[in-house]
Each structure stands twice: as structure tokens, then as C-alpha cells.
Amino acid sequence: MAESGEDGTMCLNSHPGFTPHLNSWVLDTFPDPESELETPAKARREKQTSEHRTVSASCVVQAIRANYPAQDGQHRGYQETVDAQDELYNGSLSPTGEKGRRRSRFALCRRAKANGVKPSVVHASCTPQAAKAISNKDQHSISYTLSRAQTVVVEYTHDGSTDMFQVGRSTEGPIDLVVTDTVPGGSQGPASRLSIQSTISRFACRIICQRNPPYTARIYAAGFDSSKNIFLGEKAAKWRTPDGQMDGLTTNGVLVMHPHHGFTQDSGPGLWREISVCGSVFTLRETRSAQHRGKMVEAESQELVDGSLIDLCGATLLWRTAEGLAGTPTVKHLEALRQELNAGRPQCPVGFNTLAFPSLRRSEVLDDKRPWAYLRCGHVHGYHGWAGPGGGGPEAASGGAKEEWECPMCRARGSYVPLWLGCEAGFYVDAAAPTHAFSPCGHVCSEKTAAYWSQIPLPHGTHTFHTACPFCALPLLAERGGYVRLIFQGPLD
């Protein structure tokens, strides 16, 4: 897995992928006047001097960051191919660097010109005006097909007070943030080389941000295509609201979870809800693509708050606000914690060799000084080749295989894996020292951060949930809550 940059701007990954999480940044200027998305470094530098919204996508999925307000920029249409084989998590999606609109985190910045839209005229039948609205490439519209003979078309008009950002799998121009399915374990996972049929919609959702204080950000299911249309087919769940308007759900849905008490060390999981095309909030359907919607939850809104999780059925995004990121450790702080940990000169209790975590820039390099740990007991060792009776080899250990290894210190049997410092700073709920490791992957973070993510149920498949490591998306083992306290041995001298 590639390490994050020194700017410290990270947040979801998504989850199968929470990477990308959605990450937001605050920007005052764009390094590239043609780019609509600010770079993480600039965002972090400006984070504490501007008010804005931040989005984070976890690499439990992917990450997206949005910062408001920022200096205006001009969107560039990228033409690029996406190769799911290149997935690389824990702060990055690519071993060669993140480029264009596909990355582990994004910054959403105020545009040079507002591009938000809002509903206006409703055409209740296939009139010439409705047909014109659909065919007009300068007119945004949503079409609800009720039957072969009846289609309701809702025209959308320009809204100068908002900016619109679209998220989806498509690499077409209207998509600002390209997300792909998260493979548990990233490039090191067992399924990283398998061909995956994506369940993420090409035009999954849209985020509407207010251009002025308090810079409220709201999420809506579905995004406009290259013709500025959204089509809900005859089989899609749709209905007429009490005030006569139309609304509906996308095939696999857009789910949102707002944590209790924000994104802090005191946070707890909220309830997952589904967001409609018009932004209404509903309880979950029986299965992800069921025809019948859940019950409307009028007391809740689609407004994104710090720590909100957005699941696109294949990628889970973490939204961070600028205010929330102000209390999040930066990558420089994580680097300082790494150096402090290494300064203690932890030793292998068997080989007596000094152990050291590599720099964050080389965090995915498996060298001979890297600490390894028995995740049943937490004892930290250097790498060794024995496993005890019936144990596996080094490949089995680094891959999190099921073979059991016996700890030489306490004789506890369990998995034996290399330890990796969590590089995505936006996933941390506090700035404490990295003392705990997720099981079975071995990603290391603070105790509060491990405790938080081990209790967050992430959507999995069509109707199930599981907890997962935010840095690589591997499902956590239920044993001992999915994480373990690490036991380091200091130098004998």
C-alpha cells in the first residue's frame, strides 16, 4: 500500500471499499487554474484559516474531500481509463501516485461559476415540452417512467447559490469524483487480481454545497449524465409525493450514516438510511435493490455532517468537515508519533534485534526491521520463520491466512502478521499514539480510533453489514472486538 502525502490530508476510502472515504479540504487558491479539485497539500495548509466543508472517503473504500469555501477554479474534463487491478490502500489508490479524478481522497472547492440546479417545471405526460427538455443538452431534467405510455419529466433550473459535485463510476465529464469498487485488502488482498463486476452506479450521487455560510452540503441519489438527464426506468422504485411531486430510488441505492456525537473519540454509530433522488430520507429496503422503499424518516435530513458515511454499494465514503479536520492529526503528526515509537528502540524478545517502523513514504516496504505481531496476544516480534506445530510460512502470515502461529512468549496461537502504520490521517478520531492493531490485517492506529471503527457496521453485499479496517477494507475478526493492544519489549540495556 502506498503511503499518504506529507500534507496530512486524508480521510473514506473508500469501503468496498471506505476510500475511497469522502475527504474535504479548504482551499484559498488552486495550484492549477484549470482544475476544479484542490490538492491535499494546499487544502491542509489553508484548513485552519478558512471555513469550508471537507469530505473523506475511506479506504475501507475510497476517499473524497470537499473544502468550502475555496478560490474558484475551472473544471477540466479528464479522459482516463480505470484499472481496478491497481488498487492500493492505506492512503493511496495507486503505486504511481494519484491522478485526475480517481484518487483516495478529494477536495471539493467553490467553483468559479455556480453550477447548482433546483427543480422547476413538471411535465406530467409525454408532451412536446417534456421531449424538448430531455433532448436539450443545456437543460437538466429527471425522467420518471411510470409505464410505456406515461413518463413524468421534471425540469431543473440553474441555482446560483449552490455548487454541484457528482460522484460515480463513470469517467465521463459530468463526474467530478470517480470511484471504483474497493477490494478488501487492496493490492495485497486475496481478491485483488480477480475481475470484479462493479455494483457502483455510473452516476451514483450528487452533492449540493451552499456557496455561502454555513456552506451546508446535502446529498442526493443519482447524478446527471452527459446529456444532463437522469432516467428512472419502469422497474425503478418511484412514487408521487403528497405535494404532487415525483421521487424515486436508484437500483442499488445510496446509503448514509451520521455518527452520534460527530467524528470524535466519543462518537458512536448511527443508523443507516437510504437517500432518494430528491433527497428524502428512508429506512433501508429489505434488500439493496428491492422494488419497495422503506419508511420515510421525516425527522432526519440528507445534510452531511462531520463523519458521515456514504455507501455506494461497492465503495464507502467518509465525509469530513473543515472544523472536524482541524482536530485531526496531520501526516506530520503521525510521522512524529512514528519517530517517537522508534526512539524507544523496541526489540524482538527472541532475536533481540531492534525493530523500527519505516517512514510513511516507505510504509508499505516489508524490510527486515519491520515489527510483526501475534494478533491473539499482541506480542510484537521481528520476523521469524517458525510457526510452531502446523503453522504456515511467511506468505501465509503476510496475507492474513488462517494458519495459526504460536507466540514464543505466551504460547497463544493465532495469526502472525506484519504491522503497518495507518497513513490515512482523516480516519483518526484522536491524536494519541499508535498502540493498537486491527485484526487480521495488522494496521496500527490509536486505541480510540481502533475502538471507533470496530463498532461501525459497514454495508456488505445486498443486505448484510460487517465491520472492517478503514485502511484496507478487510473484515475485522469478531474475536476480541477486531483489534488488539500491542505489547512492545524495550531494549535490555
Side-chain angles (χ1 to χ4, degrees):
M1 299 180 181
E3 66 282 8
S4 57
E6 294 182 345
D7 50 71
T9 52
M10 321 179 105
C11 287
L12 237 285
N13 247 143
S14 19
H15 202 130
F18 296 24
T19 246
H21 39 143
L22 291 177
N23 300 338
S24 304
W25 318 83
V26 181
L27 315 173
D28 283 341
T29 59
F30 284 86
D32 181 352
E34 295 182 355
S35 175
E36 187 62 47
L37 302 178
E38 175 60 302
T39 62
K42 179 63 178 179
R44 178 64 67 180
R45 289 196 299 269
E46 302 298 338
K47 173 172 66 65
Q48 304 202 15
T49 58
S50 303
E51 293 185 51
H52 50 276
R53 291 291 175 187
T54 297
V55 182
S56 296
S58 79
C59 252
V60 165
V61 183
Q62 283 182 329
I64 303 176
R65 301 189 177 194
N67 297 329
Y68 260 71
Q71 190 68 27
D72 302 327
Q74 183 65 35
H75 175 69
R76 174 188 299 166
Y78 293 91
Q79 297 296 327
E80 57 183 337
T81 59
V82 175
D83 184 0
Q85 309 274 340
D86 290 338
E87 295 294 350
L88 193 68
Y89 304 144
N90 192 18
S92 179
L93 289 181
S94 172
T96 59
E98 302 185 356
K99 301 177 181 179
R101 296 170 294 161
R102 183 175 181 265
R103 54 185 66 227
S104 66
R105 54 215 178 270
F106 296 89
L108 305 186
C109 311
R110 187 166 57 191
R111 298 180 183 273
K113 182 178 180 181
N115 71 331
V117 294
K118 56 186 178 181
S120 59
V121 181
V122 178
H123 302 282
S125 59
C126 296
T127 62
Q129 292 81 3
K132 181 179 179 181
I134 296 175
S135 60
N136 185 358
K137 293 186 177 182
D138 294 325
Q139 174 70 59
H140 288 83
S141 67
I142 300 181
S143 300
Y144 301 86
T145 302
L146 305 181
S147 65
R148 293 185 177 182
Q150 185 178 12
T151 298
V152 176
V153 179
V154 179
E155 291 188 27
Y156 277 66
T157 187
H158 176 69
D159 183 1
S161 65
T162 63
D163 284 336
M164 178 173 65
F165 299 91
Q166 301 205 137
V167 184
R169 175 171 51 87
S170 173
T171 57
E172 295 183 22
I175 295 298
D176 299 285
L177 317 174
V178 177
V179 295
T180 54
D181 295 72
T182 300
V183 179
S187 60
Q188 300 181 2
S192 61
R193 297 183 180 180
L194 300 179
S195 177
I196 299 175
Q197 183 176 1
S198 179
T199 53
I200 301 175
S201 173
R202 297 177 64 246
F203 304 91
C205 68
R206 60 196 192 277
I207 298 173
I208 304 296
C209 300
Q210 294 289 333
R211 292 172 60 84
N212 299 308
Y215 310 112
T216 302
R218 295 182 173 87
I219 186 170
Y220 301 80
F224 295 97
D225 61 19
S226 298
S227 299
K228 297 186 178 181
N229 298 319
I230 294 176
F231 294 95
L232 292 183
E234 190 174 347
K235 295 183 178 180
K238 66 187 78 67
W239 60 92
R240 203 178 287 274
T241 62
D243 59 357
Q245 301 298 315
M246 292 297 300
D247 202 353
L249 303 174
T250 55
T251 302
N252 289 331
V254 174
L255 308 186
V256 171
M257 189 272 283
H258 305 304
H260 294 304
H261 309 298
F263 193 71
T264 67
Q265 56 185 334
D266 299 320
S267 298
L271 296 176
W272 283 95
R273 305 298 193 190
E274 181 164 10
I275 305 299
S276 72
V277 172
C278 294
S280 297
V281 181
F282 295 86
T283 59
L284 303 186
R285 291 178 269 183
E286 290 187 4
T287 61
R288 198 69 188 245
S289 57
Q291 292 284 316
H292 302 288
R293 71 180 187 271
K295 296 181 180 179
M296 179 178 286
V297 185
E298 297 183 357
E300 300 180 19
S301 82
Q302 83 278 37
E303 181 178 339
L304 298 174
V305 299
D306 190 36
S308 292
L309 291 176
I310 305 168
D311 187 81
L312 305 179
C313 194
T316 301
L317 311 177
L318 171 65
W319 175 276
R320 297 300 310 274
T321 64
E323 296 82 0
L325 281 180
T328 296
T330 65
V331 172
K332 288 185 178 181
H333 180 74
L334 296 182
E335 174 64 16
L337 292 176
R338 181 194 70 85
Q339 294 178 8
E340 182 179 349
L341 186 60
N342 288 346
R345 296 171 57 202
Q347 286 189 345
C348 174
V350 175
F352 301 111
N353 54 304
T354 301
L355 307 176
F357 284 98
S359 68
L360 298 185
R361 287 186 175 275
R362 302 178 62 252
S363 63
E364 304 308 327
V365 177
L366 193 61
D367 56 29
D368 56 358
K369 290 187 176 181
R370 178 179 292 278
W372 288 59
Y374 290 88
L375 296 183
R376 182 66 179 270
C377 57
H379 283 112
V380 178
H381 291 251
Y383 175 72
H384 54 72
W386 74 84
E395 294 81 5
S398 61
K402 296 181 180 179
E403 286 86 348
E404 290 190 342
W405 291 53
E406 184 177 272
C407 174
M409 300 295 292
C410 64
R411 301 300 182 186
R413 298 188 63 84
S415 58
Y416 172 61
V417 301
L419 299 179
W420 316 87
L421 283 176
C423 294
E424 186 70 54
F427 292 154
Y428 285 74
V429 298
D430 65 357
T435 56
H436 288 65
F438 287 109
S439 178
C441 59
H443 280 103
V444 180
C445 60
S446 66
E447 179 181 7
K448 293 291 186 180
T449 298
Y452 175 78
W453 287 108
S454 66
Q455 64 178 331
I456 299 297
L458 297 170
H460 176 67
T462 59
H463 60 278
T464 60
F465 293 81
H466 66 191
T467 57
C469 170
F471 303 105
C472 68
L474 276 177
L476 300 180
L477 298 180
E479 181 181 357
R480 302 187 66 174
Y483 65 98
V484 62
R485 182 177 68 87
L486 298 175
I487 303 174
F488 291 90
Q489 175 171 302
L492 297 180
D493 56 355

